[in-house]
Amino acid sequence: MNTGPVGVAVVGAGVISAEYLRTLGTFPDIRIVAVADIVPERAAAAAATHGIPLAGDLPTVLDEPDVELIVNLTVPAAHAQVASAALRAGKHVYGEKPLTTDPADAEKLLAEASERGLLLGGAPDTFLGAGLQSALRAVRAGHIGTPVAATTAVQSLGPEAWHPDPAFFYQPGAGPLFDLGPYYLTALVALFGRVERVAATAARARVRRTVGSGPKAGQSFPVDVPTHVSALLDFASGASANSTFSFDSSHPRIRFEITGTEGTLAVPDPNTFRGPLRVRANGDDAWRELPVRGRTDGRGLGVLDMARAIRAADDPPGRGARDTHRASGALALHVLHTMAAITRSADRAEFTRLPAQVVPPTPLPEDWDPTAVTLGR
Ligand SMILES: NC(=O)c1ccc[n+]([C@@H]2O[C@H](COP(=O)([O-])OP(=O)(O)OC[C@H]3O[C@@H](n4cnc5c(N)ncnc54)[C@H](O)[C@@H]3O)[C@@H](O)[C@H]2O)c1
C-alpha cells in the first residue's frame, strides 16, 4: 500500500502543461515524478524548467513504479489511447477535456478503470474554483429562489490567433462545442444535475483557417467541425438552458446567467477559477456583488482531489472514498454524451435523449485547502 504524496506523471508537455506543472508543484500531497511527450525535447524542456527528475516517452513513464497517476494533457485525438495504455500499466488517469472524442471509447475507459480498481478523472476542474463554488453556494442559499433556467454563451474568433499549434481545435473532439463546452456543461450539471435531452443547430463560417502566431504562422489548415453551435438543454430536474458555443464571432463575449424564481445570478467565466459573482433579485434595478470564496490555484485542483481519493480508498478501514473525487470520469463522460447528443441533434434536426447516468459532484468544503499536507510523508 502506498502512502504519502501521490506520484504523478504529466503526459503531453504542450501549452497547457505549464499551468498544470506550476499548480501541481504547489500541492504537498502531490509529487511530480515524470513528464512525457512524443516530442522528446518538449518533455526534456518541461522537466528542466520544473525540476522534474524523469523525462521521456509514454512507455518510459509508465514503466516508472513511482508514477501512480497519469495526467493526460495530450491532444484530444490521443486521449483514449494514452489513457488506455496508462490503465493497462496499472496507473490511475486524469485526462484533459474532452475525456475522449467518442463516448464509446470513454465508456470503455471507465469500465477498464473499474475492472482494474483504478480511478479515472477528467477536466475541467474549474468548477472546483472559488467562482463556481461560490455560485453553487449562492444557489443553495436561495439567492435566486428555485433555479429554473440558464443562458450561456461563449464566442470569439477561435484560438488560432494565440495558440502556436491550433489545427486540433478544428478536428473532431474540439471545435467550440468540445473545446469550451465542457466548462459550461460541467458547471450546468453541477448546478442543475444531469441533462435529459438536447436540441441543437450547428454551422461553420469557414472551411480553412490560418495559424496566427509562432513558427507555423501563416500555415492554413482544414476546419472539420462546426464552429457555431446553438443548443437547448433539458435537465432531469426540470430546469433548462440555452447555450451558444462559437469560434465565428468577432465579438468576444462570455455570458453565464442562471434565472430563478426570485432573481438572476451572473456566474463568472467557467473557464476560470475566479469571480466576479453578481445577483439581481426580482425588482432590483442593478446587480449586487456576492462574495467569492475558495481556491483560485488553477488547473490541477481536480487532480489533487483525485489524489486524495486514491489514498483514502487505499486506507484499510475504507472511507468509501473511491468515487468521491469530484472531477470524475463519470461526470466527464456525461458531459461528453451531452456534446455528442448536441452534435447528433444538429445533424438530424431532432431532440436527442441522453443515457440516464451521473450523479452531480458534491460541493467542496468551504475551508478545503490544497496546500495542507493530508497524506503524510
Ligand atoms: N491550450 C489551452 O489553453 C488549454 C486549456 C485547457 C485545456 N486544454 C486541453 O489540453 C489538451 C492539450 O492542449 P494544449 O493546448 O496543451 O495542446 P498542445 O498541442 O500545445 O500540446 C499537446 C502535447 O501533447 C503531445 N502529444 C500528442 N500526442 C501524444 C502522445 N500520443 N503521447 C505523448 N504526447 C503526445 C504533443 O506533442 C504536444 O506537446 C487538450 O485536450 C486541450 O483541450 C488546453
Side-chain angles (χ1 to χ4, degrees), residues 108-118:
K108 279 189 214 142
L109 290 180
L110 273 159
E112 185 156 7
S114 163
E115 276 160 27
R116 291 175 185 272
L118 296 165

Side-chain angles (χ1 to χ4, degrees), residues 35 57 60 83 92 125-126 160 165 174 196 202 344:
V35 56
D57 57 8
T60 308
H92 307 278
D125 56 1
T126 39
E160 64 269 31
D165 214 356
E196 196 166 63
R344 220 162 39 245

Side-chain angles (χ1 to χ4, degrees), residues 263-280:
T264 294
L265 194 68
V267 177
D269 179 350
N271 189 3
T272 71
F273 293 80
R274 301 172 183 280
L277 180 65
R278 292 173 304 152
V279 69
R280 192 164 173 154

Side-chain angles (χ1 to χ4, degrees), residues 18-101:
E19 180 175 336
Y20 274 91
L21 290 169
R22 197 170 51 243
T23 309
L24 294 176
T26 65
F27 300 156
D29 284 344
I30 281 182
R31 191 161 60 96
I32 307 173
V33 177
V35 56
D37 201 291
I38 37 169
V39 182
E41 311 82 69
R42 286 192 192 162
T49 305
H50 296 275
I52 300 163
L54 178 67
D57 57 8
L58 181 62
T60 308
V61 304
L62 294 183
D63 270 354
E64 171 54 52
D66 283 352
V67 171
E68 299 169 70
L69 165 58
I70 295 291
V71 177
N72 182 4
L73 308 182
T74 59
V75 290
H79 285 178
Q81 173 241 318
V82 169
S84 178
L87 291 172
R88 276 185 270 117
K91 314 293 187 190
H92 307 278
V93 179
Y94 179 93
E96 248 306 333
K97 45 79 193 168
L99 193 53
T100 60
T101 56

Side-chain angles (χ1 to χ4, degrees), residues 33-335:
V33 177
V35 56
D37 201 291
I38 37 169
V39 182
E41 311 82 69
R42 286 192 192 162
T49 305
H50 296 275
I52 300 163
L54 178 67
D57 57 8
L58 181 62
T60 308
V61 304
L62 294 183
D63 270 354
E64 171 54 52
D66 283 352
V67 171
E68 299 169 70
L69 165 58
I70 295 291
V71 177
N72 182 4
L73 308 182
T74 59
V75 290
H79 285 178
Q81 173 241 318
V82 169
S84 178
L87 291 172
R88 276 185 270 117
K91 314 293 187 190
H92 307 278
V93 179
Y94 179 93
E96 248 306 333
K97 45 79 193 168
L99 193 53
T100 60
T101 56
D102 179 343
D105 290 337
E107 305 255 15
K108 279 189 214 142
L109 290 180
L110 273 159
E112 185 156 7
S114 163
E115 276 160 27
R116 291 175 185 272
L118 296 165
L119 291 195
L120 181 68
D125 56 1
T126 39
F127 72 97
L128 300 178
L132 288 174
Q133 287 290 315
S134 299
L136 290 165
R137 281 195 290 272
V139 170
R140 277 198 307 278
H143 280 282
I144 56 167
T146 304
V148 173
T151 300
T152 80
V154 54
Q155 56 186 65
S156 72
L157 276 178
E160 64 269 31
W162 58 269
H163 197 287
D165 214 356
F168 80 81
F169 286 104
Y170 296 92
Q171 291 302 307
L177 175 62
F178 283 75
D179 182 53
L180 296 174
Y183 300 107
Y184 293 79
L185 297 169
T186 303
L188 286 170
V189 172
L191 283 157
F192 290 155
R194 73 177 175 85
V195 181
E196 196 166 63
R197 63 173 193 160
V198 300
T201 60
R204 184 172 52 152
R206 283 174 283 283
V207 295
R208 292 194 74 79
R209 296 208 176 209
T210 305
V211 182
S213 65
K216 295 186 179 175
Q219 289 180 18
S220 94
F221 56 85
V223 176
D224 290 340
V225 288
T227 46
H228 186 99
V229 178
S230 301
L232 299 174
L233 301 102
D234 277 335
F235 294 81
S237 62
S240 68
N242 67 299
S243 295
T244 300
F245 311 94
S246 183
F247 284 163
D248 286 341
S249 174
S250 51
H251 179 188
R253 182 164 57 162
I254 282 159
R255 183 177 176 207
F256 195 143
E257 290 171 11
I258 310 164
T259 293
T261 51
E262 308 298 328
T264 294
L265 194 68
V267 177
D269 179 350
N271 189 3
T272 71
F273 293 80
R274 301 172 183 280
L277 180 65
R278 292 173 304 152
V279 69
R280 192 164 173 154
N282 294 348
D284 282 0
D285 53 11
W287 293 94
R288 186 165 53 86
E289 292 268 336
L290 288 178
V292 172
R293 295 199 187 93
R295 305 301 304 202
T296 56
D297 305 65
R299 289 170 222 273
L301 291 176
V303 179
L304 172 66
D305 192 34
M306 186 170 154
R308 289 177 173 172
I310 288 167
R311 281 289 179 273
D314 280 349
D315 247 356
R319 302 209 293 267
R322 179 150 294 283
D323 298 317
T324 57
H325 62 121
R326 292 165 180 83
S328 67
L331 175 58
L333 172 64
H334 182 64
V335 167

